[in-house]
Amino acid sequence: MGKFWVIFVASISILLPFLCNSFSPETPTDRRVLVLLDDFAVKSSHSSYFNSLKLRGFDLDFKLADDPKIALQRYGQYLYDALILFCPSVERFGGSVDVAAIINFVDSGHDLIIAADVNASDLIREVATECGVDFDEDPSAMVIDHTGYAVSETEGDHTLIASDDYIKSDVIIGSKKIEAPVLFQGIGHSLNPVNSLVLKVLSASPSAYSANPLSKLSTPPLLTGSAISLVSVVQARNNARILITGSLSMFSNRFFRSGVQKSGSSTKYEKSGNEQFLTELSKWIFHERGHLKAVNVKHHKVGETDEPALYRINDELEYSVEIYEWSGTSWEPYVTDDVQVQFYMMSPYVLKTLSNDKKGLYSASFKVPDVYGVFQFKVEYQKLGYTSLSLSKQIPVRPYRHNEYERFIPTAYPYYGAAFSTMAGFFIFSFVHLYNK
Amino acid sequence: MATMPASASDLLKSFKLKTKQQELLIRVSILCLVYILAFITRLFSVLRYESMIHEFDPYFNYRTTLYLTENGFYDFWNWFDYESWYPLGRIVGGTLYPGLMVTAVLIYRILRFLRFAVHIREVCVLTAPFFASNTTLVAYFFGKEIWDSGAGLVAAILIAICPGYISRSVAGSYDNEGVAIFALLFTFYVFVKAVNTGSLAWSLASAFGYFYMVSAWGGYVFIINLIPLYVLVLLITGRYSMRLYVAYNCMYILGMLLAMQIRFVGFQHVQSGEHMAVMGVFFLMQVFYFLDWVKHMLSDTKLFQAFLRITVTCAVAVGGIALGLGMVSGYISPWTGRFYSLLDPTYAKDHIPIIASVSEHQPTAWSSFMFDFHILLFLFPAGLYFCFKRLSDATIFIVMYGLTSMYFAGVMVRLILVATPAVCLISAIAVSATVKNLTVLLRSKNKVVQTGSTKGSGGSKSSSKALLDQSQPFQKNGAIALLFGAFYLLSRYATHCTWVTSEAYSSPSIVLAARGAHGNRVIFDDYREAYFWLRQNTPQDAKVMSWWDYGYQITAMGNRTVIVDNNTWNNTHIATVGRAMSSYEDEAIEIIRSLDVDYVLVVFGGVTGYSSDDINKFLWMVRIGGGVFPVIKEPDYLVNGEYRVDKGAAPKMLNCLMYKLCYYRFGEMLTEYGKPPGYDRARGVEIGNKDVKLEHLEEAFTTSNWIVRIYRVKPPNNRWWLNRYKFG
């Protein structure tokens, strides 16, 4: 018996690091990634990108997109934390995977990278549409830019674009400035105007348009200028992150290594910005950056430590919350000065900026308004690039009890005097009236 | 003794005291029987269903009583209930009449003290019948006070089984009215007693009776306006007396001070327009008293006339100015809508749809008078005739009570309840006086034949009747026929009352009963099923949105937070819910989210044919919603002024949230043999929109007979943000 016990403990202690490594709210960085490919050639042609992921500790599982054995979940458990779709031309996924399965995968908090290309299949387009972007409807259209193209050997081909119109967010694309433009060759997409969760990370220049480069342009192109997005990201409400791009080749080794010179510009860069841009972006997508958590939401009356079940109007209270940011390996205090707490009942009655102690503890103290009702402490923190924090804690506020009012009000002393003098007068009057014959 | 009348009568003749004793015995035993009868006739609902609380409001009363027993009086007094009216909350202690709960808890404590291990629910269920029994005793004494003990006995019998009263006092109907009618009648009785005797003690008792009434029901306003009106009439008819002065002043001053102790009433006695009449009459009494004194001091009548003119003018002017100033400065609040709607029955319909929407606030139909009063409706005028014939301070009071309450009963269905005691008393006078006259006729003839001696009390009367007899030969036969007629009528009354109680007023309305195809009783227990589901399957802090009718039940039985409930104190909040129900789904979801609603509950009778469901109440939601939010327009939901749900219905009607929630998945259902799917049995039509798709809500639970349907509000789409806000 004791032997088994030892084995059990040993196996647990061996397995423990692996168990802890898996994706969880405590360690939000993804671990297991499924990569779906059109053919295994991509695995070698895009090996730099995959290697950079592997080096950062990701466990990549390469599968052909039409492999009949692929599955995202088994017995209700997801097998992967993230999915990379490098299979622009797949018409039908193998196994149990379909559009709904991918959407459910995202809706249960997992990340997704979609790379389409010219002649992207309807399937890939459908997934993209579900995520809030629309690829150009013309299957053979490409993004063409006659002024912002990258200078290359083949003269006249302006479909290879060098773009440096990034989103201005250090959280998403890293704090280190990307010097060289990013090479892009593929299909453009536009953002669905009603969806405000989708963001343009890399947009085309105002002179770009989307059309079939081989045929003559007979009608004005539908997608033009900065409306074309080359790379977009979505951060869903449950903080699942999605990357969508219309170019598979921008991930390729060839683009990573090639030099770039933007037309009209004399500077020639030895190496394109693709590697830095996409690596940094993948850090964001896989939650190595910009992931916040709020813990230990506390509130209590000033001078007390216990959390009351309800407050009274005009109470002084203190509210505190700890906010940490995931650095990829550990939770670091998140320091900023723009976190606000609302004391909310249909509309905010109190709106106060929380002060922090640089160690992640944010706190504020304020007075409960002179209104009773069911209030909420609300922290709605939505900052570009960061996961959104939406905390709400319900707390009723009651009016005064009958014995919490002042008993004697100084201004009312004349009335008290009047009442008591009348009583005394009445007593004396009755006495005199009764006994004075 | 009573079983041997022949031998007993001989004995009785020789012992006069024995007659009185026998009468007393009969009277007491009749009263005891009536007391028991009043209680047991109200137990139909317990026998038919089970010992449970009925209707809507009683559930709130039950919940508060439970709170009172568990937490004690001070917590109850300061109770801030955050489970209703989310997110506003309700100060329960300050917005209810605590009399009922305190009474029930008192009874509960006494029973516990006597080692009866009862549950508070049993006490609550039986409180109303118990007080109905007590009311019969008060009716007896009141009848005795205004007429004689015979009238009192008849009044006790009549009120014990009168449907107008039973409707609000069956077992399980744990509502304010249950104890309030007792308090009302008691106050009136003691006040009349005080007026008759001029005794301070009775007057004090009436002040306490009034205090109990104020603590129990908002209907106390009727007392506080009827009594000054009565005093005014006495003053005008020259019946002013010292007795009246003592009774009224003591009752008013003490009653007012006591009533102010009820938080919900507070300073209304000095600040609200509804209570100004009683104050005006109080001052008028002082002026009267003063004038009386001056008249006594002044011997010169001319001088007194001049003085009278000046005083009256001054008094009226001062009173008018004070009232005007009070009104203008806002110190005296104007009359409330409810009060206006009593004086002008059309007022609520035009101005306050929320009052007009309640079925018991509708003007009374003739049939319901007949239903609730039966023969009393015909005896009432006869009783008035007798009262006018023997006018006294007491009969004037009962006449005024009868006439005013009859008027109010005509304005609002529920006020039949207030009229019932008056109608019973006046009818009792009619019955008692008639029967007495007839029996006197019969007996006097016998006595004339035998000895000519008469009973002590009505000696001169019967001898005069005896004289009349000789001129009318068939009088005795006529009297016998009339007596039989009277007893026939009364027995019909008893049958009718029992039938009404058993058929109409004993259903708890939370459990529905219907007759099945084979005449068997079918029970629909859907409400409790739904509330039980809510309690077991939803998070503790889930918020449920429903029309306000079901609010009390959801909080009491489902133990979940509601947005609005039957305490309709905030019209805007109710209008918001009405607006959500009558909007398109994507507009409604904005409102639903802003109120943090998790579940939406609707009541639907299309499957069972249950007619008081949300679709039939829907127009009121539109009206109440439209009263605050003009975007909701009633004509949008009507076709040529007609309300319909079939193919010809208005497009907005077919797509509003309420329609969708009620008829979701109903289009595929066969409800009745030989009818198309989606046939609504409550409306008797095939519904117009069978393909109902819900986007933001999903069906969570539907009870076995589809009467209650609960929908869950879906969280917003994970990948879509249909908002104006944008990051960055």
Side-chain angles (χ1 to χ4, degrees), chain B residues 442-477:
Chain B
L442 290 179
R443 294 176 66 172
S444 63
K445 194 140 198 183
N446 289 342
K447 275 165 195 164
V448 167
V449 171
Q450 280 174 3
T451 55
S453 77
T454 47
K455 268 177 34 176
S457 61
S460 58
K461 252 187 204 166
S462 39
S463 56
S464 65
K465 286 261 165 68
L467 284 174
L468 278 171
D469 286 349
Q470 282 142 10
S471 58
Q472 292 169 346
F474 293 112
Q475 197 161 25
K476 194 180 163 191
N477 297 340

Side-chain angles (χ1 to χ4, degrees), chain B residues 41-169:
Chain B
T41 193
R42 284 164 169 82
L43 298 184
F44 272 113
S45 59
V46 175
L47 299 178
R48 289 270 164 75
Y49 300 91
E50 63 184 72
S51 169
M52 65 167 146
I53 308 285
H54 294 188
E55 304 261 352
F56 303 104
D57 287 20
Y59 270 95
F60 170 74
N61 298 332
Y62 175 57
R63 182 167 162 250
T64 47
T65 311
L66 213 56
Y67 190 89
L68 178 58
T69 45
E70 282 163 5
N71 297 292
F73 187 74
Y74 281 110
D75 274 356
F76 172 71
W77 196 244
N78 291 302
W79 185 16
F80 175 67
D81 176 22
Y82 47 85
E83 286 197 345
S84 57
W85 292 94
Y86 181 85
L88 306 169
R90 175 183 174 190
I91 309 172
V92 174
T95 56
L96 53 50
Y97 294 100
L100 178 71
M101 299 92 198
V102 173
T103 308
V105 170
L106 211 63
I107 297 172
Y108 173 70
R109 293 265 160 85
I110 291 170
L111 289 174
R112 282 269 159 168
F113 177 75
L114 297 173
R115 298 294 179 272
F116 289 105
V118 290
H119 188 267
I120 183 70
R121 197 194 63 236
E122 313 293 340
V123 177
C124 293
V125 165
L126 296 178
T127 297
F130 173 62
F131 271 87
S133 292
N134 295 341
T135 310
T136 59
L137 287 188
V138 178
Y140 165 72
F141 286 110
F142 202 178
K144 195 176 163 194
E145 187 66 29
I146 51 178
W147 201 260
D148 56 18
S149 59
L153 273 183
V154 179
I157 296 166
L158 291 182
I159 204 165
I161 55 171
C162 184
Y165 184 28
I166 284 182
S167 69
R168 289 315 191 105
S169 62

Side-chain angles (χ1 to χ4, degrees), chain B residues 20 47 234 380 584 667 691:
Chain B
K20 275 201 170 165
L47 299 178
L234 287 193
F380 180 67
Y584 294 124
D691 187 28

Side-chain angles (χ1 to χ4, degrees), chain B residues 639-699:
Chain B
V639 177
N640 300 327
E642 207 182 335
Y643 179 67
R644 46 201 295 190
V645 296
D646 58 354
K647 277 204 178 62
K652 183 135 196 200
M653 177 72 210
L654 291 178
N655 289 296
C656 66
L657 185 68
M658 179 51 82
Y659 191 96
K660 280 181 151 188
L661 296 186
C662 283
Y663 291 121
Y664 181 65
R665 292 200 301 117
F666 184 66
E668 61 207 49
M669 192 192 194
L670 270 174
T671 52
E672 207 164 301
Y673 180 72
K675 297 282 196 243
Y679 178 78
D680 183 334
R681 292 178 68 195
R683 259 74 46 185
V685 290
E686 188 185 347
I687 59 166
N689 181 2
K690 288 189 183 176
D691 187 28
V692 176
K693 293 246 179 340
L694 290 171
E695 197 185 335
H696 304 291
L697 295 130
E698 59 186 356
E699 188 178 3

Side-chain angles (χ1 to χ4, degrees), chain B residues 33 35 82 95 116 130 154 251 262 267 287 291 404 414 453 559 579 600 655 702:
Chain B
L33 287 174
Y35 193 88
Y82 47 85
T95 56
F116 289 105
F130 173 62
V154 179
M251 188 262 169
I262 305 296
F267 288 104
V287 173
L291 286 175
T404 47
R414 70 189 293 208
S453 77
N559 196 17
R579 182 185 176 185
V600 181
N655 289 296
T702 295

Side-chain angles (χ1 to χ4, degrees), chain A residues 103 106-107 129-130 192 194-197 236-238 345-346 372-374 376 382 394 396-397 399 401-402, chain B residues 74-75 77-78 80 82 86-88 91 543 573 595-596 716-723 725-728:
Chain A
I103 292 310
V106 171
D107 285 349
T129 309
E130 283 291 331
N192 194 327
V194 297
N195 189 343
S196 16
L197 289 171
R237 280 172 209 271
N238 63 357
M345 181 178 77
M346 312 255 266
Y372 60 81
V374 183
Q376 284 171 311
Q382 290 160 356
Q394 183 174 313
V397 173
R401 287 172 67 93
H402 71 282
Chain B
Y74 281 110
D75 274 356
W77 196 244
N78 291 302
F80 175 67
Y82 47 85
Y86 181 85
L88 306 169
I91 309 172
K543 284 106 197 162
H573 219 51
L595 290 170
D596 299 329
N717 190 311
N718 189 33
R719 285 154 287 110
W720 294 78
W721 189 291
L722 299 165
N723 236 334
Y725 317 121
K726 206 168 173 165
F727 288 128

Side-chain angles (χ1 to χ4, degrees), chain A residues 77-90:
Chain A
Q77 296 287 320
Y78 279 103
L79 300 168
Y80 305 99
D81 307 324
L83 176 63
I84 297 179
L85 294 180
F86 277 2
C87 48
S89 60
V90 67

